[in-house]
């Protein structure tokens, strides 16, 4: 057995030490205090020197013993194995030896230093690398670490079944995200390590599998999803939960705190969630200047609530609405929560059609008599090319948001409407023009309208101050189960 000295590889030394301590603590002769003393004497006799154990407990005694004998390098390990064979039998000693011999190779300090330098030069963002590594290895790794710190963390993780170290695979993942020149250097380093470890074929197979993993999806934004669910007890309370999608390109929303408030207190709850999101998004590259999406998952009864006018900074005396600062839009709580496979299939189909090009045919509600509602529904049912709806005054007394509810039931994911109770022909025409843009551009276009309405002296009368955007992506779901009472 060849054991490197601690100076050759500190990581290997620590791994060997931990393995020996764990293996010895499983032995009956070590668990028993009297036999443990005799075990220590046997080790000392093999080495030709006195070994003193404090006798506190098995683990602490083994930490002291292993630390002492590893100063003798290979002879110390042989002394331990001799004692195991003498006190527990040669079969147990052979099993311990096999586990020591099977320890995964680790990176020598020099190689690890080169790897850290390459990661610094590649400048791959930690969150992006964490997401790629999670998909590649299916390992739980700490979040919010830099690439270098993530590498150091993985140095202590054993090799995977194919013999590849997770720390090495981290560099492979970084190569996928780095610029061409840096990617080449990262891959060259990985190949050199794999060749020295006899794992070149395993590395090539892993590269093939990594290449098959989908590239980042540029339609997935950094995003805060806020669910507002009224209490079903006659009180004004609402349950508020939120999820933060930290990294653009990957849908991996992390659940945040939940709280009970009222609609009057909703601004405070949303502001607290936004602050948490901003702390996470601060680690993204500086060139990611797109405002975050703030998506409100609301029940039908709240879809006409003007969440874009919720205010930030209410405690400063100078509050500002979120609508002109974030890409704010609405989503359906009932549809997302229901998980009805028939409805969700229609929802995904219309959204896919919508994503392939601008809307050529929008279904418009004219704030007409409620008797028109059956014909509205029938048109949606018969024509799956109707991927978007626009509405005048949907909150008119007598039928509320019934046209929108019917559209949601038929799988429509995009809707625009004017919240004002009276129909405005100019607003109708502007919504028609908006629908003509690619659907992915609509949140940004609505944001621009809200900014203009906020800064214009006549902004109160502009559509940007009163527009509602329902933009409900069926491929970005959250786990919005009912909050227990």
């Amino acid at each position: 057995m060849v054991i490197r000295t601690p100076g050759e590889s500190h990581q290997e030394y620590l791994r060997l030490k931990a393995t020996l301590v764990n293996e010895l603590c499983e032995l009956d002769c070590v668990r028993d205090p009297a036999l443990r003393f005799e075990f220590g004497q046997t080790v000392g006799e093999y080495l030709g020197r006195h070994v003193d154990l404090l006798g506190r407990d098995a683990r602490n005694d083994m930490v002291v013993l292993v630390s002492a004998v590893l100063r003798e390098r290979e002879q110390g390990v042989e002394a331990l194995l001799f004692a195991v064979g003498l006190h527990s039998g040669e079969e147990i000693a052979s099993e311990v030896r096999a586990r020591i011999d099977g320890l995964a190779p680790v990176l020598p300090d020099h190689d690890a230093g080169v790897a850290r330098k390459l990661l610094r030069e590649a400048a791959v963002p930690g969150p992006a690398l964490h997401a790629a590594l999670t998909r590649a290895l299916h390992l739980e790794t700490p979040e919010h670490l830099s690439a270098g710190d993530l590498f150091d963390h993985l140095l202590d993780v054993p090799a995977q079944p194919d013999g590849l170290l997770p720390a090495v695979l981290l560099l492979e993942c970084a190569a996928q995200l780095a610029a061409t020149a840096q990617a080449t250097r990262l891959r060259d380093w990985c190949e050199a390590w794999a060749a020295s470890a006899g794992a070149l074929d395993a590395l090539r197979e892993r590269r093939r599998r990594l290449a098959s993993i989908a590239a980042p999806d540029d339609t997935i934004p950094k995003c805060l999803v806020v669910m507002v669910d009224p209490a079903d007890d006659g009180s004004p309370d609402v349950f508020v939960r939120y999820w933060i999608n930290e990294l653009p390109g990957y849908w991996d929303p992390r659940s945040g705190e939940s709280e009970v408030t009222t609609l009057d207190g909703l601004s405070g709850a949303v502001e607290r969630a936004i602050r948490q999101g901003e702390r996470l998004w601060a680690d993204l590259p500086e060139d990611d200047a797109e405002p975050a999406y703030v998506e409100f998952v609301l029940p039908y009864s709240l879809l006409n609530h003007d969440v874009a006018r919720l205010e930030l900074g209410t405690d400063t005396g100078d509050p500002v609405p979120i609508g002109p600062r974030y890409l704010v839009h609405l989503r359906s709580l009932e549809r997302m929560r229901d998980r009805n496979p028939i409805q969700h299939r229609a929802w995904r189909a219309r959204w896919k059609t919508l994503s392939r090009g601008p809307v050529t045919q929008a279904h418009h509600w004219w704030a007409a008599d409620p008797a028109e509602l059956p014909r509205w529904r029938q048109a949606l049912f018969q024509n799956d090319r109707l991927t978007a709806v626009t509405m005048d005054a949907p909150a008119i007394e007598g039928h509320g948001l019934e046209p929108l509810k019917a559209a949601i039931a038929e799988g429509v994911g995009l809707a625009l409407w004017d919240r004002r109770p009276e129909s405005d022909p100019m607003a109708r025409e502007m919504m028609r023009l908006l629908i003509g843009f690619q659907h992915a551009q609509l949140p940004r276009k609505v944001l621009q309208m809200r900014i203009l309405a906020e800064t214009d002296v006549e902004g109160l009368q502009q559509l940007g101050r009163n527009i509602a955007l329902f933009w409900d992506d069926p491929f970005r779901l959250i786990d919005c189960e009912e909050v227990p009472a």
Side-chain angles (χ1 to χ4, degrees):
M1 184 192 318
V2 178
I3 304 296
R4 292 192 182 100
T5 64
E8 291 175 329
S9 172
H10 185 60
Q11 293 295 331
E12 187 172 47
Y13 166 74
L14 293 177
R15 193 180 304 244
L16 174 63
K17 181 177 179 180
T19 299
L20 285 170
V21 169
N22 290 334
E23 292 289 340
L24 295 177
C25 285
E26 294 296 318
L27 303 176
D28 291 338
C29 63
V30 170
R31 291 174 178 172
D32 183 282
L35 295 177
R36 187 162 66 248
F37 176 77
E38 295 179 5
F39 183 88
Q41 283 189 319
T42 301
V43 173
E45 289 174 0
Y46 187 97
L47 294 174
R49 60 183 177 84
H50 178 68
V51 173
D52 187 22
L53 299 179
L54 299 178
R56 294 174 182 169
D57 59 65
R59 179 159 292 276
N60 282 330
D61 277 354
M62 290 305 100
V63 169
V64 171
L65 179 63
V66 170
S67 298
V69 301
L70 283 185
R71 298 190 187 101
E72 306 289 333
R73 291 193 251 179
E74 188 170 352
Q75 187 182 15
V77 175
E78 292 298 336
L80 289 171
L81 292 172
F82 171 77
V84 171
L86 185 63
H87 290 270
S88 298
E90 286 301 324
E91 184 177 351
I92 299 296
S94 296
E95 292 176 0
V96 174
R97 181 184 294 276
R99 281 190 279 274
I100 294 172
D101 288 341
L103 282 176
V106 298
L107 296 176
D109 292 341
H110 172 73
D111 290 351
V114 174
R116 291 188 193 95
K117 180 175 182 292
L118 292 174
L119 286 171
R120 285 196 302 272
E121 293 172 349
V124 175
L129 188 54
H130 179 273
L133 193 65
T134 299
R135 295 196 315 278
L137 301 186
H138 307 292
L139 288 177
E140 291 293 331
T141 52
E143 300 176 28
H144 315 308
L145 294 181
S146 68
D149 288 342
L150 194 55
F151 174 79
D152 287 340
H153 169 79
L154 291 175
L155 285 174
D156 291 326
V157 179
Q160 300 224 304
D162 58 4
L164 296 176
L165 291 175
V168 173
L169 292 172
L170 179 140
L171 270 75
E172 277 292 318
C173 291
Q176 287 189 307
L177 302 168
T180 302
Q182 286 83 3
T184 299
R185 287 194 286 271
L186 288 165
R187 292 191 176 100
D188 287 347
W189 182 94
C190 292
E191 287 183 4
W193 177 88
S196 67
L200 200 52
D201 288 342
L203 177 67
R204 288 168 178 159
E205 171 60 21
R206 189 63 73 105
R207 276 184 182 170
R208 186 190 64 77
R209 287 157 53 189
L210 286 174
S212 68
I213 296 175
D217 183 347
D218 60 8
T219 68
I220 297 177
K222 60 184 180 184
C223 179
L224 169 68
V225 182
V226 181
M227 185 192 84
V228 184
D229 192 10
D232 190 21
D233 58 5
S235 74
D237 293 343
V238 293
F239 295 96
V240 180
R241 295 178 60 195
Y242 71 86
W243 294 257
I244 297 171
N245 194 59
E246 179 181 353
L247 187 65
Y250 305 94
W251 186 242
D252 184 25
R254 308 300 176 92
S255 180
E257 299 294 330
S258 61
E259 62 179 286
V260 180
T261 183
T262 64
L263 287 181
D264 289 338
L266 183 57
S267 287
V270 172
E271 181 169 11
R272 286 186 285 275
I274 286 176
R275 286 179 177 176
Q276 180 63 22
E278 290 290 2
R279 280 192 283 270
L280 298 178
W281 300 323
D283 294 332
L284 294 176
E286 293 182 2
D287 58 356
D288 182 18
E290 180 81 352
Y293 283 57
V294 179
E295 305 181 340
F296 287 89
V297 183
L298 303 177
Y300 294 131
S301 61
L302 292 179
L303 278 174
N304 208 39
H305 189 72
D306 195 358
V307 291
R309 299 299 302 172
L310 293 175
E311 294 180 327
L312 305 175
T314 54
D315 56 345
T316 67
D318 187 23
V320 294
I322 64 172
R325 288 164 173 78
Y326 294 92
L327 298 162
V328 178
H329 53 264
L330 311 171
R331 307 187 67 177
S332 169
L333 175 60
E334 284 89 352
R335 178 164 63 181
M336 192 179 299
R337 178 178 283 169
D338 185 26
R339 307 292 171 130
N340 182 321
I342 298 174
Q343 189 181 68
H344 277 228
R345 184 165 58 249
W347 183 17
R348 291 191 297 269
R350 288 191 197 259
W351 192 265
K352 287 179 179 178
T353 301
L354 178 67
S355 66
R356 287 195 284 266
V359 177
T360 57
Q361 196 175 7
H363 201 29
H364 185 76
W365 177 261
W366 295 83
D369 188 277
E372 295 293 321
L373 197 57
R375 281 191 283 273
W376 165 269
R377 285 199 181 101
Q378 188 67 17
L380 287 166
F381 174 74
Q382 292 178 336
N383 188 351
D384 59 7
R385 303 294 298 176
L386 293 176
T387 56
V389 299
T390 57
M391 297 180 288
D392 285 345
I396 189 170
E397 185 177 355
H399 57 277
L401 288 172
E402 291 302 319
L404 179 60
K405 290 172 67 174
I408 290 172
E410 292 298 331
V412 171
L414 173 59
L416 286 169
W417 69 91
D418 186 354
R419 284 196 175 88
R420 290 172 291 188
E422 296 182 1
S423 180
D424 182 345
M426 291 186 63
R428 188 184 312 134
E429 178 62 18
M430 187 167 290
M431 288 189 292
R432 186 187 67 81
L433 294 173
L434 279 171
I435 287 292
F437 286 100
Q438 291 281 353
H439 87 291
Q441 298 176 356
L442 273 175
R444 167 62 73 175
K445 295 299 180 182
V446 171
L447 173 66
Q448 292 170 350
M449 291 175 61
R450 287 170 173 159
I451 293 173
L452 181 61
E454 197 68 26
T455 56
D456 196 300
V457 293
E458 296 183 356
L460 287 174
Q461 306 305 317
Q462 292 187 12
L463 179 61
R465 185 68 175 264
N466 303 283
I467 193 170
L469 171 61
F470 180 81
W471 198 76
D472 200 9
D473 187 337
F475 299 100
R476 295 196 290 108
L477 304 180
I478 55 169
D479 188 18
C480 57
E481 73 280 358
E482 291 191 41
V483 179

